[in-house]
Amino acid sequence: MKMTGAEAVVRALELEGADLIFGYPGGAVTHIYDALHRSDIHHVLVRNEQAAAHAANGYARVTGKVGVCIATSGPGATNMITGIATAYMDSIPMVAITGQVPLSMVGRDVFQEADITGATEPFTKYSYLVKDVNDIPRIFKEAFYLASTGRPGPVLIDIPKDISMATLDFKYPDQVKLRGYKPTYEGHPGQIKRMAKAILESSRPVICIGGGAISSNATPEIIELAETIKAPVASTLMGIGAFPGDHELSLGFLGQHGVYAANRAVSEADLLILLGARMGDRATGKTQEFAQRAKVIHMDIDPAEIGKNVEIDIPIVGDIKTTLKELLKKNISRQDWGWLSTVKKWKAKTEGVGHCTQGLNPMEIIKMLSDMVPEDTVLVTDVGQHQMWAARYYKTRKPRTFLTSGGLGTMGYGLPAALGAKLGCRDKEVILIVGDGGFQMSLGELATIVQERAEVKIMIFNNGYLGMVREIQQQLHEERYYQTAMQGNPDFVKLAHAYGIKSFRVEKEENILEGIRQLLEYKGPIIGEFVIDPTANVIPVSRRDNDETTRISSAG
Amino acid sequence: MKQHVLAVLVENHPGVLSKVSGLFSRRGFNIYSLAVGITEDPSISRITIVVEGDDYTVEQVTKQLNKLIDVIKVSKIGQDSVTRELALIKVKADRKSRHEVIEIINVFRAQIVDIARDYLIVEITGDSDKISAMVDMLNDYEIKEMVRTGAIALDRGSKMIKYEDTDRGGCFNGNNVL
Ligand SMILES: Cc1ncc(C[n+]2csc(CCOP(=O)(O)OP(=O)(O)O)c2C)c(N)n1
């Protein structure tokens, strides 16, 4: 069928099932927008291109589909970079489309030209600059395939304006031919055998799950594995939700900001099974001291992750779900000789929530929230202290219901990601916990939330500080607080009113419950501002280890 | 530090070389030399990279290269191989010194490809050590200009580095059974 490049872009999106996309128009994409206008695809007009990418990220994470975002050339494209990098670090399937100046002008520094494929090279799984209109169908087919298979990630397609105006005979390929890209889904049978043997020989096994366990939709298999081999399950920040947080074998959040039981169990384990966890520096602390007593099995679809951060005894390249299914066919059931009861004791020793005298106790709020929400609630966080408190104290019960910027730690992620998540699952409760700092990084998206009638429930944890950095200044810089007090904060309740969003403020402990109830019961977007004790810390003073390197590296 | 020679088969597209070289600088791997050219299959280019590093580094380089979508295959060139570099050297050779310079060139079985009143251009191929040895000798006569390529290499005998349809591509099992 004859059509323009712009129409081909839209047709390809339709064929890939992209019914919802996030973007912001501009001169280089007007033809694509004109074609979108004539299609059934719903376009969400964000207020900044970075938010388009974060919203596509949130949408992709709750739905498991590829998120799509679009921006114009030059500043539109460069604004989107942070969102692309955020998705890359967390392996989120995404296709980012950017307009480009006409092909004949590329390379001459013309108005609104930016080398976006060059700029995003380090943060994309792959990128295309379309040079021939006839390539559009193949490129879109490949882009969606690359974004969603193997280790997922963002793929960028840069489309010069004249290409979107040119005509082609549209034929969508039904297969991709990429000889340099053939992800391994099935684990090596020999390695699976070795894994089974190691399990049977172990007496203190621990499973550690990461984001890969979620991308692979492996929750049922992981539950079966944990119950069969009687191993407790710790989770990295990205793995939260891949194993039910209320399961008796759940240890919770692992790492520098993690909980005692998870860290203790990993350091005492004699067998550690890593499932789709890349074991970044935040999860391991000092790698030399990480899981020293354990034999380590690492299962991941990306061979480049295996052995990168921690030394591995049994590497297995493969999809977690597919490979665990194979493993579970073997006899791996083992007896527990007291390991689980030891672990149980550590779990009982979970740190208390401490006392807050100068404002609300954030940990208490999160615990209450956790007890009150429906099981399939999606919790989105921004970055900072509140994020760590949420990871520690909120019990995530289902996969794809805890959304956070783990790898890049991007402030400003929360609000647009919550918007994207809500539009991806309108039937579920979507709650955002965000600091007063991060909220102001993308508060323009309140308008998008209103425009889309997205019933996002927003909890601003207002401590008047860039709390995470304040905590570091307190502990490492002898309480020299500098540029972390958020003087000039607006009245968040009035601000919400200006957008026509219902809002309230909670300052007293006895009103927390009522506040949460109001958030959950209200039909529509709503903002609750919780005035938090500014001195509340993530790392309890008792656990401070005076080690500069660990503490510095925990700067968010 | 130990040097390793990698043969990398890539799609013959524009931009692929920058992806490969960008990966090295980004991840802090040191490239000693890099040479690229077309292969017997015109849709495939072969990049020969000499890297310096320990076994961990080489393993990481290999895995990261394999992860690039445009990289079709990465192989390590073993000991039993033929490695060549090419150098063009413009050396001072006037009436007084020309004889001695030519003698050195002959010993290295290099070739004179241009001659002028006071200068010669020498072409030499060989492994890195051989070229360096000649450069060392010619230094006594004043080298005015020099250009050297990176190494290229082929395994000896029947061992071949080729793309086959059955290849596992970016991620293959053999590689992960460490
Ligand atoms: C874009 C960006 N800039 C800076 C940082 C560094 N940073 C990490 S946490 C943090 C403070 C966040 O403050 P706030 O949003 O108020 O949340 P809180 O820590 O108080 O819960 C900062 C500045 C970051 N992670 N991202």
Side-chain angles (χ1 to χ4, degrees):
Chain A
M1 202 167 57
K2 282 255 183 279
M3 60 174 78
T4 65
E7 287 163 344
V9 168
V10 173
R11 188 76 197 109
L13 289 176
E14 286 167 353
L15 289 168
E16 291 295 339
D19 39 18
L20 189 68
I21 70 176
F22 303 87
Y24 207 91
V29 289
T30 52
H31 289 86
I32 298 174
Y33 270 71
D34 199 40
L36 271 174
H37 175 56
R38 281 172 268 132
S39 101
D40 288 335
I41 295 173
H42 179 64
H43 177 278
V44 176
L45 178 65
V46 293
R47 278 5 185 210
N48 179 311
E49 291 85 352
Q50 184 185 134
H54 290 328
N57 178 320
Y59 176 83
R61 284 167 83 157
V62 296
T63 60
K65 287 168 60 172
V66 176
V68 180
C69 52
I70 175 165
T72 191
S73 68
T78 53
N79 263 355
M80 211 150 74
I81 293 178
T82 301
I84 293 172
T86 303
Y88 183 74
M89 289 293 274
D90 290 343
S91 307
I92 306 302
M94 186 156 114
V95 168
I97 301 166
T98 50
Q100 183 53 277
V101 300
L103 203 53
S104 55
M105 312 273 234
V106 165
R108 300 191 193 182
D109 298 328
V110 298
F111 179 64
Q112 294 198 330
E113 178 183 359
D115 173 10
I116 194 64
T117 48
T120 56
E121 169 66 42
F123 334 111
T124 45
K125 185 166 172 184
Y126 198 60
S127 60
Y128 298 89
L129 168 62
V130 185
K131 288 186 166 164
D132 180 343
V133 68
N134 294 299
D135 290 339
I136 287 179
R138 173 185 59 83
I139 286 175
F140 271 77
K141 180 78 192 176
E142 287 179 5
F144 275 84
Y145 178 72
L146 286 170
S148 58
T149 55
R151 179 179 184 173
V155 176
L156 181 125
I157 308 174
D158 197 24
I159 309 173
K161 180 154 178 151
D162 49 350
I163 300 282
S164 67
M165 292 158 72
T167 53
L168 75 158
D169 192 13
F170 186 92
K171 242 185 37 219
Y172 208 60
D174 44 28
Q175 272 192 339
V176 294
K177 280 192 224 103
L178 292 162
R179 48 188 172 181
Y181 180 75
K182 283 163 192 158
T184 305
Y185 283 88
E186 278 158 41
H188 193 281
Q191 296 298 87
I192 296 176
K193 223 185 251 168
R194 286 175 66 193
M195 177 172 181
K197 186 158 169 275
I199 288 170
L200 291 175
E201 286 167 1
S202 70
S203 52
R204 301 184 307 278
V206 172
I207 297 170
C208 175
I209 49 178
I214 293 175
S215 333
S216 150
N217 297 315
T219 297
E221 289 73 22
I222 294 170
I223 295 174
E224 190 182 337
L225 176 70
E227 289 173 353
T228 312
I229 71 170
K230 302 184 181 62
V233 183
S235 173
T236 69
L237 187 59
M238 288 302 297
I240 292 177
F243 188 78
D246 55 356
H247 193 289
E248 63 167 351
L249 288 172
S250 171
L251 291 167
F253 178 38
L254 171 78
Q256 265 169 11
H257 292 118
V259 296
Y260 173 76
N263 287 334
R264 182 75 196 263
V266 166
S267 69
E268 302 284 336
D270 71 345
L271 177 70
L272 184 63
I273 303 172
L274 307 176
L275 302 176
R278 71 188 171 93
M279 303 323 284
D281 49 314
R282 295 312 155 89
T284 57
K286 281 176 252 155
T287 42
Q288 307 93 300
E289 287 170 19
F290 177 74
Q292 270 189 321
R293 284 170 256 261
K295 185 176 234 187
V296 183
I297 300 172
H298 192 171
M299 192 186 290
D300 204 295
I301 199 153
D302 181 359
E305 284 305 343
I306 294 179
K308 188 177 87 177
N309 296 332
V310 288
E311 265 184 61
I312 303 301
D313 299 283
I314 306 178
I316 307 181
V317 177
D319 171 58
I320 312 281
K321 190 182 187 79
T322 316
T323 311
L324 283 186
K325 270 193 176 149
E326 279 311 304
L327 175 76
L328 288 166
K329 285 183 195 157
K330 301 197 179 303
N331 175 24
I332 49 168
S333 147
R334 54 175 286 284
Q335 280 290 290
D336 178 59
W337 306 103
W339 171 233
L340 289 183
S341 57
T342 312
V343 169
K344 215 180 210 163
K345 269 183 231 142
W346 295 331
K347 260 183 89 169
K349 245 187 82 178
T350 41
E351 295 104 307
V353 294
H355 287 291
C356 289
T357 51
Q358 298 174 43
L360 302 178
N361 183 336
M363 297 155 260
E364 231 166 62
I365 301 175
I366 288 171
K367 277 196 152 175
M368 281 162 108
L369 177 76
S370 186
D371 290 341
M372 288 166 71
V373 294
E375 170 172 275
D376 61 353
T377 297
V378 176
L379 186 77
V380 185
T381 81
D382 204 74
V383 171
Q385 290 180 310
H386 66 278
Q387 176 189 32
M388 295 299 120
W389 287 320
R392 289 166 64 96
Y393 297 102
Y394 182 84
K395 283 204 182 353
T396 306
R397 280 145 278 200
K398 301 262 175 200
R400 301 189 179 281
T401 64
F402 184 85
L403 275 50
T404 195
S405 168
L408 201 62
T410 309
M411 282 174 72
Y413 168 81
L415 189 57
L419 162 74
K422 185 70 199 182
L423 299 185
C425 57
R426 285 212 182 248
D427 54 322
K428 288 184 191 160
E429 197 71 76
V430 174
I431 297 175
L432 166 68
I433 300 183
V434 60
D436 48 314
F439 178 72
Q440 291 179 78
M441 275 208 178
S442 44
L443 73 82
E445 299 311 319
L446 288 180
T448 318
I449 283 172
V450 173
Q451 184 166 348
E452 293 296 323
R453 293 192 194 85
E455 297 178 13
V456 179
K457 313 294 174 70
I458 300 169
M459 301 170 80
I460 301 178
F461 276 25
N462 184 3
N463 54 8
Y465 277 91
L466 297 174
M468 193 68 145
V469 185
R470 186 206 56 77
E471 184 173 334
I472 295 166
Q473 290 177 338
Q474 178 186 6
Q475 300 192 2
L476 276 182
H477 301 279
E478 295 162 336
E479 305 189 20
R480 284 187 299 276
Y481 300 120
Y482 179 62
Q483 300 299 313
T484 43
M486 295 301 265
Q487 288 146 356
N489 267 353
D491 178 328
F492 291 111
V493 173
K494 279 194 191 151
L495 180 79
H497 285 164
Y499 282 95
I501 295 177
K502 189 178 163 66
S503 62
F504 61 89
R505 177 179 296 126
V506 178
E507 286 167 307
K508 294 208 185 85
E509 210 181 319
E510 58 268 29
N511 297 336
I512 296 175
L513 198 78
E514 176 51 30
I516 296 174
R517 196 172 286 145
Q518 211 179 328
L519 282 167
L520 294 177
E521 281 168 6
Y522 186 69
K523 298 265 168 279
I526 180 168
I527 295 179
E529 177 193 349
F530 293 79
V531 182
I532 302 294
D533 184 341
T535 64
N537 280 349
V538 178
I539 310 251
V541 180
S542 60
R543 259 189 40 211
R544 217 191 287 170
D545 55 5
N546 290 333
D547 175 358
E548 282 265 329
T549 51
T550 342
R551 286 297 302 144
I552 286 172
S553 69
S554 66
Chain B
M1 208 172 298
K2 214 169 131 195
Q3 290 194 347
H4 310 260
V5 184
L6 298 176
V8 187
L9 300 185
V10 301
E11 295 289 349
N12 185 13
H13 293 161
V16 176
L17 187 60
S18 88
K19 284 181 191 176
V20 169
S21 58
L23 185 146
F24 277 79
S25 58
R26 210 159 51 237
R27 299 214 175 245
F29 302 138
N30 289 324
I31 300 185
Y32 184 75
S33 85
L34 183 151
V36 56
I38 209 154
T39 61
E40 68 284 357
D41 174 347
S43 70
I44 294 178
S45 297
R46 177 157 163 163
I47 307 179
T48 308
I49 304 174
V50 182
V51 287
E52 292 187 323
D54 51 16
D55 290 346
Y56 170 83
T57 309
V58 175
E59 190 190 316
Q60 287 301 307
V61 169
T62 308
K63 284 177 165 179
Q64 292 296 339
L65 281 170
N66 262 318
K67 227 172 125 163
L68 295 179
I69 313 291
D70 289 316
V71 167
I72 300 166
K73 191 166 184 164
V74 183
S75 309
K76 234 170 116 167
I77 300 277
Q79 287 295 320
D80 194 18
S81 59
V82 179
T83 306
R84 290 289 180 272
E85 286 174 33
L86 169 73
L88 294 173
I89 304 165
K90 189 179 282 180
V91 61
K92 188 165 172 200
D94 52 19
R95 223 178 307 153
K96 252 179 32 216
S97 63
R98 190 175 297 141
H99 243 73
E100 291 176 28
V101 171
I102 292 175
E103 226 164 84
I104 292 170
I105 293 168
N106 285 340
V107 169
F108 281 96
R109 279 187 233 129
Q111 289 192 41
I112 298 166
V113 291
D114 183 61
I115 186 157
R117 187 176 301 278
D118 291 328
Y119 298 104
L120 286 177
I121 296 180
V122 190
E123 176 193 312
I124 177 170
T125 58
D127 61 20
S128 205
D129 291 345
K130 175 180 167 186
I131 295 177
S132 299
M134 189 172 85
V135 168
D136 203 32
M137 296 297 290
L138 292 181
N139 261 332
D140 292 345
Y141 302 90
E142 219 179 310
I143 292 178
K144 289 291 184 184
E145 203 178 351
M146 176 171 82
V147 45
R148 267 174 94 155
T149 66
I152 54 173
L154 286 181
D155 283 312
R156 288 181 193 274
S158 59
K159 197 178 160 206
M160 269 167 261
I161 297 169
K162 271 179 171 314
Y163 167 70
E164 267 150 56
D165 223 5
T166 51
D167 276 353
R168 297 294 298 139
C171 318
F172 46 93
N173 266 310
N175 208 28
N176 62 68
V177 185
L178 301 176

